[in-house]
Amino acid sequence: DNVLLTQCCATPIGSAPDVGCPPTGITACPGTMVNVPVVVSDADGDSLLVSWQVLGFPGYDEIVPGTSTPQNLTHGYLFTTPGTYTVTITVSDGVNPPVTCTTIVTVTEIPTITCPPAITMHILGSGTVVTYPDPTVTGGGLAGCSPPSGSWFALGITPVTCTATNACGTNT
């Protein structure tokens, strides 16, 4: 008689993928491409499926051929609207549970300036020193005003121009 011997063994579950998450707190300006980097590897040398997801954007998948060497990957997003966006990166080797990490991208706008009300001074003579409050700046910092507070203002109307700035630009 012929005897058929079969051997069956369970394949041990290997190591889960390794993920080096992008930095937390990426800041960008509207209309600029934001590259979200990640470093992935798998100690077992399994191929990896890397998925980037951001609410309101199409998903993006990249397949990394099997290697245990860390791979530097990046995917870019064009954020046009100011706000806070969560980028979720999921890495799967098809054997172990997927590994997920997130980073936050904050898209800021050009700063806004709210000027204090106009100042009317009653003076005798050709002018006076005028001290005025700084304008309120939202989304940036006050770069300065011209002429500065505490300057000599001649008799008549003197416009004051203030400038605010941040990484996305300048507003006057």
Side-chain angles (χ1 to χ4, degrees):
D1 288 330
N2 291 334
V3 177
L4 178 62
L5 296 175
T6 59
Q7 185 178 10
C8 178
C9 53
T11 303
I13 295 178
S15 300
D18 221 4
V19 180
C21 291
T24 301
I26 298 172
T27 302
C29 303
T32 57
M33 182 65 72
V34 176
N35 290 314
V36 180
V38 66
V39 179
V40 299
S41 64
D42 189 277
D44 302 324
D46 294 326
S47 293
L48 300 174
L49 174 63
V50 182
S51 300
W52 281 264
Q53 292 289 324
V54 178
L55 185 63
F57 287 82
Y60 176 77
D61 293 333
E62 185 168 341
I63 296 175
V64 179
T67 179
S68 58
T69 304
Q71 302 294 307
N72 295 303
L73 306 175
T74 189
H75 181 64
Y77 289 95
L78 180 61
F79 294 100
T80 57
T81 305
T84 301
Y85 300 88
T86 301
V87 180
T88 302
I89 301 167
T90 304
V91 181
S92 175
D93 63 4
V95 177
N96 296 285
V99 179
T100 300
C101 66
T102 60
T103 191
I104 303 296
V105 176
T106 303
V107 180
T108 60
E109 1 188 332
I110 292 176
T112 57
I113 299 176
T114 304
C115 296
I119 298 173
T120 302
M121 304 282 296
H122 297 284
I123 60 170
L124 298 173
S126 61
T128 190
V129 171
V130 176
T131 302
Y132 57 84
D134 285 339
T136 302
V137 177
T138 303
L142 182 63
C145 296
S146 179
S149 181
S151 295
W152 175 266
F153 282 66
L155 185 64
I157 297 173
T158 304
V160 174
T161 303
C162 296
T163 304
T165 188
N166 69 10
C168 295
T170 300
N171 200 357
T172 303

mmCIF file with all atom_site columns, all heavy atoms in Angstrom, residues 84-113:
data_model
loop_
_atom_site.group_PDB
_atom_site.id
_atom_site.type_symbol
_atom_site.label_atom_id
_atom_site.label_alt_id
_atom_site.label_comp_id
_atom_site.label_asym_id
_atom_site.label_entity_id
_atom_site.label_seq_id
_atom_site.pdbx_PDB_ins_code
_atom_site.Cartn_x
_atom_site.Cartn_y
_atom_site.Cartn_z
_atom_site.occupancy
_atom_site.B_iso_or_equiv
_atom_site.pdbx_formal_charge
_atom_site.auth_seq_id
_atom_site.auth_comp_id
_atom_site.auth_asym_id
_atom_site.auth_atom_id
_atom_site.pdbx_PDB_model_num
ATOM 1   N N   . THR A 1 84  ? -7.356 72.515 11.056 1.00 0.00 ? 84  THR A N   1
ATOM 2   C CA  . THR A 1 84  ? -6.523 71.470 11.644 1.00 0.00 ? 84  THR A CA  1
ATOM 3   C C   . THR A 1 84  ? -6.910 70.147 11.008 1.00 0.00 ? 84  THR A C   1
ATOM 4   O O   . THR A 1 84  ? -8.093 69.791 10.969 1.00 0.00 ? 84  THR A O   1
ATOM 5   C CB  . THR A 1 84  ? -6.732 71.418 13.174 1.00 0.00 ? 84  THR A CB  1
ATOM 6   O OG1 . THR A 1 84  ? -6.399 72.696 13.720 1.00 0.00 ? 84  THR A OG1 1
ATOM 7   C CG2 . THR A 1 84  ? -5.852 70.362 13.806 1.00 0.00 ? 84  THR A CG2 1
ATOM 8   N N   . TYR A 1 85  ? -5.930 69.440 10.493 1.00 0.00 ? 85  TYR A N   1
ATOM 9   C CA  . TYR A 1 85  ? -6.157 68.187 9.781  1.00 0.00 ? 85  TYR A CA  1
ATOM 10  C C   . TYR A 1 85  ? -5.375 67.062 10.458 1.00 0.00 ? 85  TYR A C   1
ATOM 11  O O   . TYR A 1 85  ? -4.208 67.239 10.795 1.00 0.00 ? 85  TYR A O   1
ATOM 12  C CB  . TYR A 1 85  ? -5.693 68.305 8.325  1.00 0.00 ? 85  TYR A CB  1
ATOM 13  C CG  . TYR A 1 85  ? -6.419 69.381 7.566  1.00 0.00 ? 85  TYR A CG  1
ATOM 14  C CD1 . TYR A 1 85  ? -5.968 70.695 7.572  1.00 0.00 ? 85  TYR A CD1 1
ATOM 15  C CD2 . TYR A 1 85  ? -7.576 69.086 6.848  1.00 0.00 ? 85  TYR A CD2 1
ATOM 16  C CE1 . TYR A 1 85  ? -6.638 71.692 6.876  1.00 0.00 ? 85  TYR A CE1 1
ATOM 17  C CE2 . TYR A 1 85  ? -8.252 70.075 6.156  1.00 0.00 ? 85  TYR A CE2 1
ATOM 18  C CZ  . TYR A 1 85  ? -7.778 71.384 6.173  1.00 0.00 ? 85  TYR A CZ  1
ATOM 19  O OH  . TYR A 1 85  ? -8.444 72.360 5.494  1.00 0.00 ? 85  TYR A OH  1
ATOM 20  N N   . THR A 1 86  ? -6.020 65.914 10.635 1.00 0.00 ? 86  THR A N   1
ATOM 21  C CA  . THR A 1 86  ? -5.354 64.737 11.190 1.00 0.00 ? 86  THR A CA  1
ATOM 22  C C   . THR A 1 86  ? -4.979 63.812 10.041 1.00 0.00 ? 86  THR A C   1
ATOM 23  O O   . THR A 1 86  ? -5.846 63.396 9.272  1.00 0.00 ? 86  THR A O   1
ATOM 24  C CB  . THR A 1 86  ? -6.273 63.995 12.175 1.00 0.00 ? 86  THR A CB  1
ATOM 25  O OG1 . THR A 1 86  ? -6.630 64.891 13.234 1.00 0.00 ? 86  THR A OG1 1
ATOM 26  C CG2 . THR A 1 86  ? -5.576 62.768 12.763 1.00 0.00 ? 86  THR A CG2 1
ATOM 27  N N   . VAL A 1 87  ? -3.686 63.519 9.931  1.00 0.00 ? 87  VAL A N   1
ATOM 28  C CA  . VAL A 1 87  ? -3.196 62.580 8.922  1.00 0.00 ? 87  VAL A CA  1
ATOM 29  C C   . VAL A 1 87  ? -2.968 61.253 9.632  1.00 0.00 ? 87  VAL A C   1
ATOM 30  O O   . VAL A 1 87  ? -2.218 61.180 10.609 1.00 0.00 ? 87  VAL A O   1
ATOM 31  C CB  . VAL A 1 87  ? -1.883 63.069 8.281  1.00 0.00 ? 87  VAL A CB  1
ATOM 32  C CG1 . VAL A 1 87  ? -1.398 62.077 7.231  1.00 0.00 ? 87  VAL A CG1 1
ATOM 33  C CG2 . VAL A 1 87  ? -2.066 64.457 7.674  1.00 0.00 ? 87  VAL A CG2 1
ATOM 34  N N   . THR A 1 88  ? -3.638 60.212 9.171  1.00 0.00 ? 88  THR A N   1
ATOM 35  C CA  . THR A 1 88  ? -3.496 58.878 9.750  1.00 0.00 ? 88  THR A CA  1
ATOM 36  C C   . THR A 1 88  ? -2.724 58.010 8.760  1.00 0.00 ? 88  THR A C   1
ATOM 37  O O   . THR A 1 88  ? -3.096 57.912 7.589  1.00 0.00 ? 88  THR A O   1
ATOM 38  C CB  . THR A 1 88  ? -4.864 58.251 10.033 1.00 0.00 ? 88  THR A CB  1
ATOM 39  O OG1 . THR A 1 88  ? -5.589 59.114 10.926 1.00 0.00 ? 88  THR A OG1 1
ATOM 40  C CG2 . THR A 1 88  ? -4.730 56.879 10.669 1.00 0.00 ? 88  THR A CG2 1
ATOM 41  N N   . ILE A 1 89  ? -1.655 57.392 9.254  1.00 0.00 ? 89  ILE A N   1
ATOM 42  C CA  . ILE A 1 89  ? -0.843 56.505 8.432  1.00 0.00 ? 89  ILE A CA  1
ATOM 43  C C   . ILE A 1 89  ? -0.976 55.097 9.006  1.00 0.00 ? 89  ILE A C   1
ATOM 44  O O   . ILE A 1 89  ? -0.744 54.885 10.198 1.00 0.00 ? 89  ILE A O   1
ATOM 45  C CB  . ILE A 1 89  ? 0.627  56.948 8.419  1.00 0.00 ? 89  ILE A CB  1
ATOM 46  C CG1 . ILE A 1 89  ? 0.717  58.370 7.873  1.00 0.00 ? 89  ILE A CG1 1
ATOM 47  C CG2 . ILE A 1 89  ? 1.484  55.988 7.610  1.00 0.00 ? 89  ILE A CG2 1
ATOM 48  C CD1 . ILE A 1 89  ? 2.041  59.040 8.100  1.00 0.00 ? 89  ILE A CD1 1
ATOM 49  N N   . THR A 1 90  ? -1.383 54.160 8.158  1.00 0.00 ? 90  THR A N   1
ATOM 50  C CA  . THR A 1 90  ? -1.556 52.768 8.573  1.00 0.00 ? 90  THR A CA  1
ATOM 51  C C   . THR A 1 90  ? -0.600 51.906 7.757  1.00 0.00 ? 90  THR A C   1
ATOM 52  O O   . THR A 1 90  ? -0.516 52.046 6.541  1.00 0.00 ? 90  THR A O   1
ATOM 53  C CB  . THR A 1 90  ? -3.009 52.313 8.342  1.00 0.00 ? 90  THR A CB  1
ATOM 54  O OG1 . THR A 1 90  ? -3.884 53.206 9.043  1.00 0.00 ? 90  THR A OG1 1
ATOM 55  C CG2 . THR A 1 90  ? -3.231 50.899 8.845  1.00 0.00 ? 90  THR A CG2 1
ATOM 56  N N   . VAL A 1 91  ? 0.117  51.024 8.461  1.00 0.00 ? 91  VAL A N   1
ATOM 57  C CA  . VAL A 1 91  ? 1.078  50.137 7.810  1.00 0.00 ? 91  VAL A CA  1
ATOM 58  C C   . VAL A 1 91  ? 0.687  48.698 8.134  1.00 0.00 ? 91  VAL A C   1
ATOM 59  O O   . VAL A 1 91  ? 0.486  48.343 9.291  1.00 0.00 ? 91  VAL A O   1
ATOM 60  C CB  . VAL A 1 91  ? 2.517  50.426 8.287  1.00 0.00 ? 91  VAL A CB  1
ATOM 61  C CG1 . VAL A 1 91  ? 3.511  49.513 7.577  1.00 0.00 ? 91  VAL A CG1 1
ATOM 62  C CG2 . VAL A 1 91  ? 2.870  51.889 8.058  1.00 0.00 ? 91  VAL A CG2 1
ATOM 63  N N   . SER A 1 92  ? 0.598  47.884 7.065  1.00 0.00 ? 92  SER A N   1
ATOM 64  C CA  . SER A 1 92  ? 0.203  46.489 7.232  1.00 0.00 ? 92  SER A CA  1
ATOM 65  C C   . SER A 1 92  ? 1.158  45.588 6.459  1.00 0.00 ? 92  SER A C   1
ATOM 66  O O   . SER A 1 92  ? 1.562  45.921 5.343  1.00 0.00 ? 92  SER A O   1
ATOM 67  C CB  . SER A 1 92  ? -1.221 46.289 6.717  1.00 0.00 ? 92  SER A CB  1
ATOM 68  O OG  . SER A 1 92  ? -1.564 44.924 6.758  1.00 0.00 ? 92  SER A OG  1
ATOM 69  N N   . ASP A 1 93  ? 1.498  44.448 7.090  1.00 0.00 ? 93  ASP A N   1
ATOM 70  C CA  . ASP A 1 93  ? 2.319  43.459 6.386  1.00 0.00 ? 93  ASP A CA  1
ATOM 71  C C   . ASP A 1 93  ? 1.480  42.269 5.930  1.00 0.00 ? 93  ASP A C   1
ATOM 72  O O   . ASP A 1 93  ? 2.001  41.301 5.388  1.00 0.00 ? 93  ASP A O   1
ATOM 73  C CB  . ASP A 1 93  ? 3.497  43.005 7.244  1.00 0.00 ? 93  ASP A CB  1
ATOM 74  C CG  . ASP A 1 93  ? 3.089  42.286 8.519  1.00 0.00 ? 93  ASP A CG  1
ATOM 75  O OD1 . ASP A 1 93  ? 1.877  42.049 8.740  1.00 0.00 ? 93  ASP A OD1 1
ATOM 76  O OD2 . ASP A 1 93  ? 3.984  41.970 9.320  1.00 0.00 ? 93  ASP A OD2 1
ATOM 77  N N   . GLY A 1 94  ? 0.166  42.327 6.146  1.00 0.00 ? 94  GLY A N   1
ATOM 78  C CA  . GLY A 1 94  ? -0.717 41.255 5.732  1.00 0.00 ? 94  GLY A CA  1
ATOM 79  C C   . GLY A 1 94  ? -0.701 40.040 6.646  1.00 0.00 ? 94  GLY A C   1
ATOM 80  O O   . GLY A 1 94  ? -1.441 39.085 6.427  1.00 0.00 ? 94  GLY A O   1
ATOM 81  N N   . VAL A 1 95  ? 0.141  40.064 7.675  1.00 0.00 ? 95  VAL A N   1
ATOM 82  C CA  . VAL A 1 95  ? 0.253  38.936 8.598  1.00 0.00 ? 95  VAL A CA  1
ATOM 83  C C   . VAL A 1 95  ? -0.166 39.362 9.997  1.00 0.00 ? 95  VAL A C   1
ATOM 84  O O   . VAL A 1 95  ? -0.955 38.702 10.653 1.00 0.00 ? 95  VAL A O   1
ATOM 85  C CB  . VAL A 1 95  ? 1.704  38.389 8.624  1.00 0.00 ? 95  VAL A CB  1
ATOM 86  C CG1 . VAL A 1 95  ? 1.840  37.266 9.635  1.00 0.00 ? 95  VAL A CG1 1
ATOM 87  C CG2 . VAL A 1 95  ? 2.142  37.949 7.237  1.00 0.00 ? 95  VAL A CG2 1
ATOM 88  N N   . ASN A 1 96  ? 0.374  40.464 10.442 1.00 0.00 ? 96  ASN A N   1
ATOM 89  C CA  . ASN A 1 96  ? 0.123  40.973 11.788 1.00 0.00 ? 96  ASN A CA  1
ATOM 90  C C   . ASN A 1 96  ? -0.922 42.080 11.752 1.00 0.00 ? 96  ASN A C   1
ATOM 91  O O   . ASN A 1 96  ? -1.213 42.634 10.687 1.00 0.00 ? 96  ASN A O   1
ATOM 92  C CB  . ASN A 1 96  ? 1.432  41.533 12.367 1.00 0.00 ? 96  ASN A CB  1
ATOM 93  C CG  . ASN A 1 96  ? 2.470  40.451 12.527 1.00 0.00 ? 96  ASN A CG  1
ATOM 94  O OD1 . ASN A 1 96  ? 2.391  39.636 13.430 1.00 0.00 ? 96  ASN A OD1 1
ATOM 95  N ND2 . ASN A 1 96  ? 3.447  40.413 11.614 1.00 0.00 ? 96  ASN A ND2 1
ATOM 96  N N   . PRO A 1 97  ? -1.456 42.439 12.913 1.00 0.00 ? 97  PRO A N   1
ATOM 97  C CA  . PRO A 1 97  ? -2.390 43.576 12.933 1.00 0.00 ? 97  PRO A CA  1
ATOM 98  C C   . PRO A 1 97  ? -1.693 44.838 12.414 1.00 0.00 ? 97  PRO A C   1
ATOM 99  O O   . PRO A 1 97  ? -0.505 45.033 12.643 1.00 0.00 ? 97  PRO A O   1
ATOM 100 C CB  . PRO A 1 97  ? -2.738 43.722 14.425 1.00 0.00 ? 97  PRO A CB  1
ATOM 101 C CG  . PRO A 1 97  ? -2.438 42.382 15.020 1.00 0.00 ? 97  PRO A CG  1
ATOM 102 C CD  . PRO A 1 97  ? -1.304 41.817 14.230 1.00 0.00 ? 97  PRO A CD  1
ATOM 103 N N   . PRO A 1 98  ? -2.422 45.684 11.680 1.00 0.00 ? 98  PRO A N   1
ATOM 104 C CA  . PRO A 1 98  ? -1.831 46.914 11.155 1.00 0.00 ? 98  PRO A CA  1
ATOM 105 C C   . PRO A 1 98  ? -1.355 47.826 12.289 1.00 0.00 ? 98  PRO A C   1
ATOM 106 O O   . PRO A 1 98  ? -1.887 47.796 13.403 1.00 0.00 ? 98  PRO A O   1
ATOM 107 C CB  . PRO A 1 98  ? -2.973 47.580 10.393 1.00 0.00 ? 98  PRO A CB  1
ATOM 108 C CG  . PRO A 1 98  ? -3.997 46.524 10.210 1.00 0.00 ? 98  PRO A CG  1
ATOM 109 C CD  . PRO A 1 98  ? -3.805 45.517 11.297 1.00 0.00 ? 98  PRO A CD  1
ATOM 110 N N   . VAL A 1 99  ? -0.360 48.619 11.984 1.00 0.00 ? 99  VAL A N   1
ATOM 111 C CA  . VAL A 1 99  ? 0.177  49.607 12.921 1.00 0.00 ? 99  VAL A CA  1
ATOM 112 C C   . VAL A 1 99  ? -0.227 50.975 12.390 1.00 0.00 ? 99  VAL A C   1
ATOM 113 O O   . VAL A 1 99  ? -0.084 51.253 11.197 1.00 0.00 ? 99  VAL A O   1
ATOM 114 C CB  . VAL A 1 99  ? 1.711  49.488 13.027 1.00 0.00 ? 99  VAL A CB  1
ATOM 115 C CG1 . VAL A 1 99  ? 2.266  50.533 13.969 1.00 0.00 ? 99  VAL A CG1 1
ATOM 116 C CG2 . VAL A 1 99  ? 2.111  48.085 13.471 1.00 0.00 ? 99  VAL A CG2 1
ATOM 117 N N   . THR A 1 100 ? -0.736 51.831 13.287 1.00 0.00 ? 100 THR A N   1
ATOM 118 C CA  . THR A 1 100 ? -1.236 53.140 12.882 1.00 0.00 ? 100 THR A CA  1
ATOM 119 C C   . THR A 1 100 ? -0.570 54.236 13.695 1.00 0.00 ? 100 THR A C   1
ATOM 120 O O   . THR A 1 100 ? -0.308 54.064 14.890 1.00 0.00 ? 100 THR A O   1
ATOM 121 C CB  . THR A 1 100 ? -2.770 53.209 13.097 1.00 0.00 ? 100 THR A CB  1
ATOM 122 O OG1 . THR A 1 100 ? -3.380 52.185 12.306 1.00 0.00 ? 100 THR A OG1 1
ATOM 123 C CG2 . THR A 1 100 ? -3.329 54.548 12.685 1.00 0.00 ? 100 THR A CG2 1
ATOM 124 N N   . CYS A 1 101 ? -0.317 55.348 13.035 1.00 0.00 ? 101 CYS A N   1
ATOM 125 C CA  . CYS A 1 101 ? 0.130  56.540 13.759 1.00 0.00 ? 101 CYS A CA  1
ATOM 126 C C   . CYS A 1 101 ? -0.527 57.761 13.116 1.00 0.00 ? 101 CYS A C   1
ATOM 127 O O   . CYS A 1 101 ? -1.033 57.683 11.991 1.00 0.00 ? 101 CYS A O   1
ATOM 128 C CB  . CYS A 1 101 ? 1.650  56.657 13.768 1.00 0.00 ? 101 CYS A CB  1
ATOM 129 S SG  . CYS A 1 101 ? 2.417  56.932 12.181 1.00 0.00 ? 101 CYS A SG  1
ATOM 130 N N   . THR A 1 102 ? -0.557 58.855 13.841 1.00 0.00 ? 102 THR A N   1
ATOM 131 C CA  . THR A 1 102 ? -1.185 60.075 13.329 1.00 0.00 ? 102 THR A CA  1
ATOM 132 C C   . THR A 1 102 ? -0.275 61.273 13.568 1.00 0.00 ? 102 THR A C   1
ATOM 133 O O   . THR A 1 102 ? 0.595  61.253 14.443 1.00 0.00 ? 102 THR A O   1
ATOM 134 C CB  . THR A 1 102 ? -2.539 60.356 14.019 1.00 0.00 ? 102 THR A CB  1
ATOM 135 O OG1 . THR A 1 102 ? -2.320 60.514 15.414 1.00 0.00 ? 102 THR A OG1 1
ATOM 136 C CG2 . THR A 1 102 ? -3.527 59.250 13.781 1.00 0.00 ? 102 THR A CG2 1
ATOM 137 N N   . THR A 1 103 ? -0.496 62.280 12.765 1.00 0.00 ? 103 THR A N   1
ATOM 138 C CA  . THR A 1 103 ? 0.133  63.570 12.989 1.00 0.00 ? 103 THR A CA  1
ATOM 139 C C   . THR A 1 103 ? -0.897 64.647 12.661 1.00 0.00 ? 103 THR A C   1
ATOM 140 O O   . THR A 1 103 ? -1.863 64.393 11.938 1.00 0.00 ? 103 THR A O   1
ATOM 141 C CB  . THR A 1 103 ? 1.420  63.749 12.151 1.00 0.00 ? 103 THR A CB  1
ATOM 142 O OG1 . THR A 1 103 ? 2.100  64.916 12.607 1.00 0.00 ? 103 THR A OG1 1
ATOM 143 C CG2 . THR A 1 103 ? 1.112  63.887 10.677 1.00 0.00 ? 103 THR A CG2 1
ATOM 144 N N   . ILE A 1 104 ? -0.691 65.810 13.211 1.00 0.00 ? 104 ILE A N   1
ATOM 145 C CA  . ILE A 1 104 ? -1.607 66.928 13.006 1.00 0.00 ? 104 ILE A CA  1
ATOM 146 C C   . ILE A 1 104 ? -0.943 67.954 12.090 1.00 0.00 ? 104 ILE A C   1
ATOM 147 O O   . ILE A 1 104 ? 0.202  68.340 12.305 1.00 0.00 ? 104 ILE A O   1
ATOM 148 C CB  . ILE A 1 104 ? -1.967 67.610 14.349 1.00 0.00 ? 104 ILE A CB  1
ATOM 149 C CG1 . ILE A 1 104 ? -2.569 66.599 15.332 1.00 0.00 ? 104 ILE A CG1 1
ATOM 150 C CG2 . ILE A 1 104 ? -2.894 68.804 14.136 1.00 0.00 ? 104 ILE A CG2 1
ATOM 151 C CD1 . ILE A 1 104 ? -3.885 66.004 14.901 1.00 0.00 ? 104 ILE A CD1 1
ATOM 152 N N   . VAL A 1 105 ? -1.696 68.390 11.074 1.00 0.00 ? 105 VAL A N   1
ATOM 153 C CA  . VAL A 1 105 ? -1.251 69.477 10.200 1.00 0.00 ? 105 VAL A CA  1
ATOM 154 C C   . VAL A 1 105 ? -2.171 70.661 10.466 1.00 0.00 ? 105 VAL A C   1
ATOM 155 O O   . VAL A 1 105 ? -3.393 70.533 10.364 1.00 0.00 ? 105 VAL A O   1
ATOM 156 C CB  . VAL A 1 105 ? -1.314 69.084 8.712  1.00 0.00 ? 105 VAL A CB  1
ATOM 157 C CG1 . VAL A 1 105 ? -0.950 70.276 7.825  1.00 0.00 ? 105 VAL A CG1 1
ATOM 158 C CG2 . VAL A 1 105 ? -0.411 67.899 8.428  1.00 0.00 ? 105 VAL A CG2 1
ATOM 159 N N   . THR A 1 106 ? -1.576 71.794 10.833 1.00 0.00 ? 106 THR A N   1
ATOM 160 C CA  . THR A 1 106 ? -2.346 73.011 11.072 1.00 0.00 ? 106 THR A CA  1
ATOM 161 C C   . THR A 1 106 ? -2.060 73.987 9.934  1.00 0.00 ? 106 THR A C   1
ATOM 162 O O   . THR A 1 106 ? -0.902 74.347 9.695  1.00 0.00 ? 106 THR A O   1
ATOM 163 C CB  . THR A 1 106 ? -1.962 73.653 12.417 1.00 0.00 ? 106 THR A CB  1
ATOM 164 O OG1 . THR A 1 106 ? -2.162 72.687 13.455 1.00 0.00 ? 106 THR A OG1 1
ATOM 165 C CG2 . THR A 1 106 ? -2.803 74.887 12.692 1.00 0.00 ? 106 THR A CG2 1
ATOM 166 N N   . VAL A 1 107 ? -3.117 74.366 9.227  1.00 0.00 ? 107 VAL A N   1
ATOM 167 C CA  . VAL A 1 107 ? -2.996 75.307 8.123  1.00 0.00 ? 107 VAL A CA  1
ATOM 168 C C   . VAL A 1 107 ? -3.482 76.657 8.638  1.00 0.00 ? 107 VAL A C   1
ATOM 169 O O   . VAL A 1 107 ? -4.635 76.802 9.052  1.00 0.00 ? 107 VAL A O   1
ATOM 170 C CB  . VAL A 1 107 ? -3.813 74.836 6.899  1.00 0.00 ? 107 VAL A CB  1
ATOM 171 C CG1 . VAL A 1 107 ? -3.678 75.823 5.752  1.00 0.00 ? 107 VAL A CG1 1
ATOM 172 C CG2 . VAL A 1 107 ? -3.359 73.441 6.483  1.00 0.00 ? 107 VAL A CG2 1
ATOM 173 N N   . THR A 1 108 ? -2.565 77.630 8.650  1.00 0.00 ? 108 THR A N   1
ATOM 174 C CA  . THR A 1 108 ? -2.882 78.957 9.196  1.00 0.00 ? 108 THR A CA  1
ATOM 175 C C   . THR A 1 108 ? -3.144 79.944 8.058  1.00 0.00 ? 108 THR A C   1
ATOM 176 O O   . THR A 1 108 ? -2.807 79.684 6.906  1.00 0.00 ? 108 THR A O   1
ATOM 177 C CB  . THR A 1 108 ? -1.726 79.484 10.059 1.00 0.00 ? 108 THR A CB  1
ATOM 178 O OG1 . THR A 1 108 ? -0.554 79.582 9.256  1.00 0.00 ? 108 THR A OG1 1
ATOM 179 C CG2 . THR A 1 108 ? -1.447 78.571 11.229 1.00 0.00 ? 108 THR A CG2 1
ATOM 180 N N   . GLU A 1 109 ? -3.729 81.071 8.394  1.00 0.00 ? 109 GLU A N   1
ATOM 181 C CA  . GLU A 1 109 ? -3.986 82.087 7.390  1.00 0.00 ? 109 GLU A CA  1
ATOM 182 C C   . GLU A 1 109 ? -3.061 83.269 7.594  1.00 0.00 ? 109 GLU A C   1
ATOM 183 O O   . GLU A 1 109 ? -2.348 83.339 8.583  1.00 0.00 ? 109 GLU A O   1
ATOM 184 C CB  . GLU A 1 109 ? -5.424 82.605 7.418  1.00 0.00 ? 109 GLU A CB  1
ATOM 185 C CG  . GLU A 1 109 ? -6.337 82.072 8.402  1.00 0.00 ? 109 GLU A CG  1
ATOM 186 C CD  . GLU A 1 109 ? -7.775 82.544 8.182  1.00 0.00 ? 109 GLU A CD  1
ATOM 187 O OE1 . GLU A 1 109 ? -8.026 83.613 7.647  1.00 0.00 ? 109 GLU A OE1 1
ATOM 188 O OE2 . GLU A 1 109 ? -8.647 81.796 8.577  1.00 0.00 ? 109 GLU A OE2 1
ATOM 189 N N   . ILE A 1 110 ? -3.122 84.191 6.653  1.00 0.00 ? 110 ILE A N   1
ATOM 190 C CA  . ILE A 1 110 ? -2.408 85.452 6.821  1.00 0.00 ? 110 ILE A CA  1
ATOM 191 C C   . ILE A 1 110 ? -3.039 86.144 8.024  1.00 0.00 ? 110 ILE A C   1
ATOM 192 O O   . ILE A 1 110 ? -4.255 86.084 8.214  1.00 0.00 ? 110 ILE A O   1
ATOM 193 C CB  . ILE A 1 110 ? -2.533 86.294 5.543  1.00 0.00 ? 110 ILE A CB  1
ATOM 194 C CG1 . ILE A 1 110 ? -1.764 85.611 4.414  1.00 0.00 ? 110 ILE A CG1 1
ATOM 195 C CG2 . ILE A 1 110 ? -2.028 87.706 5.760  1.00 0.00 ? 110 ILE A CG2 1
ATOM 196 C CD1 . ILE A 1 110 ? -1.896 86.287 3.077  1.00 0.00 ? 110 ILE A CD1 1
ATOM 197 N N   . PRO A 1 111 ? -2.239 86.782 8.880  1.00 0.00 ? 111 PRO A N   1
ATOM 198 C CA  . PRO A 1 111 ? -2.805 87.388 10.087 1.00 0.00 ? 111 PRO A CA  1
ATOM 199 C C   . PRO A 1 111 ? -3.801 88.504 9.765  1.00 0.00 ? 111 PRO A C   1
ATOM 200 O O   . PRO A 1 111 ? -3.748 89.099 8.689  1.00 0.00 ? 111 PRO A O   1
ATOM 201 C CB  . PRO A 1 111 ? -1.570 87.947 10.801 1.00 0.00 ? 111 PRO A CB  1
ATOM 202 C CG  . PRO A 1 111 ? -0.540 88.108 9.752  1.00 0.00 ? 111 PRO A CG  1
ATOM 203 C CD  . PRO A 1 111 ? -0.822 87.045 8.727  1.00 0.00 ? 111 PRO A CD  1
ATOM 204 N N   . THR A 1 112 ? -4.680 88.750 10.721 1.00 0.00 ? 112 THR A N   1
ATOM 205 C CA  . THR A 1 112 ? -5.629 89.860 10.585 1.00 0.00 ? 112 THR A CA  1
ATOM 206 C C   . THR A 1 112 ? -5.307 90.909 11.642 1.00 0.00 ? 112 THR A C   1
ATOM 207 O O   . THR A 1 112 ? -4.801 90.598 12.720 1.00 0.00 ? 112 THR A O   1
ATOM 208 C CB  . THR A 1 112 ? -7.083 89.395 10.760 1.00 0.00 ? 112 THR A CB  1
ATOM 209 O OG1 . THR A 1 112 ? -7.215 88.773 12.036 1.00 0.00 ? 112 THR A OG1 1
ATOM 210 C CG2 . THR A 1 112 ? -7.469 88.399 9.684  1.00 0.00 ? 112 THR A CG2 1
ATOM 211 N N   . ILE A 1 113 ? -5.599 92.145 11.303 1.00 0.00 ? 113 ILE A N   1
ATOM 212 C CA  . ILE A 1 113 ? -5.339 93.276 12.206 1.00 0.00 ? 113 ILE A CA  1
ATOM 213 C C   . ILE A 1 113 ? -6.651 93.993 12.470 1.00 0.00 ? 113 ILE A C   1
ATOM 214 O O   . ILE A 1 113 ? -7.404 94.290 11.544 1.00 0.00 ? 113 ILE A O   1
ATOM 215 C CB  . ILE A 1 113 ? -4.354 94.284 11.579 1.00 0.00 ? 113 ILE A CB  1
ATOM 216 C CG1 . ILE A 1 113 ? -3.011 93.637 11.289 1.00 0.00 ? 113 ILE A CG1 1
ATOM 217 C CG2 . ILE A 1 113 ? -4.173 95.496 12.477 1.00 0.00 ? 113 ILE A CG2 1
ATOM 218 C CD1 . ILE A 1 113 ? -2.037 94.552 10.590 1.00 0.00 ? 113 ILE A CD1 1
#
